């Protein structure tokens, strides 16, 4: 419906058969069409189905050593990167991480955030923060052109699709980012003009989810289970909280009165997907000419 309203031509394709091979064949057929500029696959298809034993270590590049744990992981890399509107292909997901590492070593100083093709969920969160978490309203200050300098962010998710690239991008824009998962907390620190970006593992005796939240101007929750609920009293008054999970990771009725609460990112993600599609189409035209 949104595509139709915005004048984007689209076609819904149904796959004949239910095997991974059937889906792969359908994706490759779309890859081969010049008049298809973006491909969106509705996941999960085989969410918990592991790859056959002979496929478990199917490497896409010997130097990266990437292998797939599930059929869905494998299918994400079947979509060509130049047609992947969701930004889930491994070559896309690694860009933000590699860019952060390059800035740490200053091997690639010419690369800017404008050069990065951002996964659409991450792009949606950044657009929401641009609107509702303006640095001037969150005790942050732009230093040396870094928008989020002086801002502390806690991201409760470290997936390749959301948490990792979002942490890297915000840190490169000057934020101090705590990346939280079940096993550890990592801290990403962006360059402030006098030091290089760095990442380190936090000591669990000194740094907990509660202490991270207490010092955060922004909290992004992306825990994909219905049983997780972030205690509202951990959230500072005046903070911005963005819930990316399909489940409410926070009880909105218990939030402090001045919290900026964004309960979901679905509609903004659709807009981000369209933004990526336009960018891919522009790239297609440039390469053709």
């Amino acid at each position: 419906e949104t595509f139709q309203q915005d004048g984007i031509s689209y076609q819904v394709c149904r796959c004949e058969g239910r095997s991974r091979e059937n889906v792969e064949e359908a994706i490759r057929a779309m890859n081969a069409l010049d008049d298809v500029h973006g491909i969106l696959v509705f996941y999960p298809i085989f969410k918990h189905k592991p790859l056959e034993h002979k496929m478990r270590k199917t490497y896409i590049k010997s130097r990266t050593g990437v292998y797939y744990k599930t059929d869905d992981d494998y299918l994400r890399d079947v979509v060509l990167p130049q047609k992947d509107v969701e930004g889930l292909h491994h070559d896309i997901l690694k860009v933000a991480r590699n860019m952060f590492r390059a800035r740490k070593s200053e091997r690639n100083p010419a690369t800017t955030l404008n050069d990065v093709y951002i996964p659409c969920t991450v792009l949606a969160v950044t657009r929401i923060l641009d609107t509702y978490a303006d640095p001037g309203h969150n005790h942050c200050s732009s230093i040396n052109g870094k928008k989020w300098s002086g801002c502390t962010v806690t991201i409760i998710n470290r997936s390749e699709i959301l948490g990792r690239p979002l942490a890297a991008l915000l840190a490169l824009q000057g934020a101090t980012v705590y990346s939280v998962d079940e096993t550890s907390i990592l801290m990403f620190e962006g360059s402030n003009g006098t030091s290089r970006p760095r990442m380190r593992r936090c000591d669990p005796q000194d740094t907990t989810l509660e202490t991270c939240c207490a010092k955060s101007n922004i909290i992004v929750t992306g825990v994909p289970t219905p049983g997780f609920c972030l205690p509202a009293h951990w959230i500072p008054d005046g903070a911005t909280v963005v819930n990316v999970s399909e489940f409410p990771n926070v009880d909105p009725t218990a939030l402090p009165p001045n919290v900026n609460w964004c309960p979901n990112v679905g509609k903004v993600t659709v807009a981000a997907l369209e933004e990526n599609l336009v960018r891919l189409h522009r790239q297609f035209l440039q390469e053709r000419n």
Side-chain angles (χ1 to χ4, degrees):
E1 182 180 346
T2 302
F3 281 1
Q4 189 174 24
Q5 292 174 351
D6 294 341
I8 297 174
S9 299
Y10 70 94
Q11 179 181 359
V12 178
C13 301
R14 298 187 180 277
C15 177
E16 296 184 6
R18 298 185 177 183
S19 69
R20 177 183 55 77
E21 290 78 11
N22 295 138
V23 180
E24 180 178 357
E25 182 180 357
I27 293 174
R28 293 194 185 280
M30 294 299 103
N31 284 342
L33 297 177
D34 288 339
D35 59 347
V36 173
H37 306 110
I39 298 173
L40 170 65
V41 181
F42 289 95
Y43 298 105
I45 303 174
F46 310 103
K47 185 175 182 180
H48 300 297
K49 180 183 177 183
L51 285 171
E52 299 173 9
H53 180 72
K54 64 181 179 180
M55 291 286 295
R56 285 183 183 171
K57 292 191 176 180
T58 302
Y59 290 84
I60 58 174
K61 290 182 179 179
S62 58
R63 66 181 177 82
T64 58
V66 174
Y67 70 94
Y68 312 105
K69 297 179 180 179
T70 68
D71 283 333
D72 281 6
D73 290 341
Y74 173 79
L75 291 170
R76 288 187 180 99
D77 274 3
V78 173
V79 179
L80 289 176
Q82 57 267 38
K83 295 191 178 187
D84 181 10
V85 292
E86 288 191 280
L88 300 181
H89 191 283
H90 175 263
D91 284 350
I92 295 171
L93 293 173
K94 73 180 181 181
V95 169
R97 299 196 311 276
N98 286 352
M99 182 178 174
F100 187 81
R101 292 167 184 164
R103 290 295 182 87
K104 287 170 64 178
S105 61
E106 296 186 349
R107 293 175 184 172
N108 191 17
T111 304
T112 69
L113 290 176
N114 292 329
D115 301 321
V116 177
Y117 178 46
I118 303 174
C120 63
T121 304
V122 175
L123 181 58
V125 174
T126 61
R127 292 291 182 260
I128 290 170
L129 295 180
D130 287 342
T131 302
Y132 294 104
D134 184 271
H137 298 130
N138 285 273
H139 310 292
C140 305
S141 58
S142 180
I143 302 173
N144 298 316
K146 303 289 187 179
K147 178 173 184 178
W148 299 107
S149 291
C151 193
T152 300
V153 183
T154 293
I155 303 173
I156 312 172
N157 178 292
R158 203 183 299 149
S159 68
E160 296 289 341
I161 297 172
L162 172 65
R164 284 182 180 273
L166 181 60
L169 288 171
L170 292 177
L172 286 171
Q173 292 178 317
T176 296
V177 182
Y178 291 99
S179 174
V180 182
D181 72 359
E182 293 179 316
T183 61
S184 64
I185 297 177
L186 304 179
M187 184 173 72
F188 292 73
E189 289 184 296
S191 170
N192 59 15
T194 60
S195 62
R196 298 178 183 178
R198 67 189 183 116
M199 179 186 70
R200 66 177 177 84
R201 185 179 296 270
C202 298
D203 185 340
Q205 300 298 321
D206 301 326
T207 306
T208 65
L209 176 56
E210 181 177 5
T211 62
C212 292
C213 290
K215 63 181 75 172
S216 294
N217 312 98
I218 297 169
I219 298 173
V220 179
T221 63
V223 181
T225 57
F228 176 82
C229 185
L230 184 69
H233 65 274
W234 290 3
I235 301 172
D237 198 19
T240 295
V241 180
V242 180
N243 183 76
V244 183
S245 172
E246 62 180 304
F247 306 103
N249 290 161
V250 179
D251 179 4
T253 64
L255 288 171
N258 296 313
V259 166
N260 295 315
W261 165 241
C262 180
N264 60 71
V265 300
K267 292 184 178 180
V268 185
T269 303
V270 174
L273 188 146
E274 289 187 332
E275 183 177 337
N276 279 345
L277 177 60
V278 171
R279 190 171 181 177
L280 289 174
H281 183 246
R282 187 182 298 121
Q283 179 180 331
F284 166 78
L285 294 176
Q286 290 174 346
E287 293 176 353
R288 188 178 65 176
N289 296 329

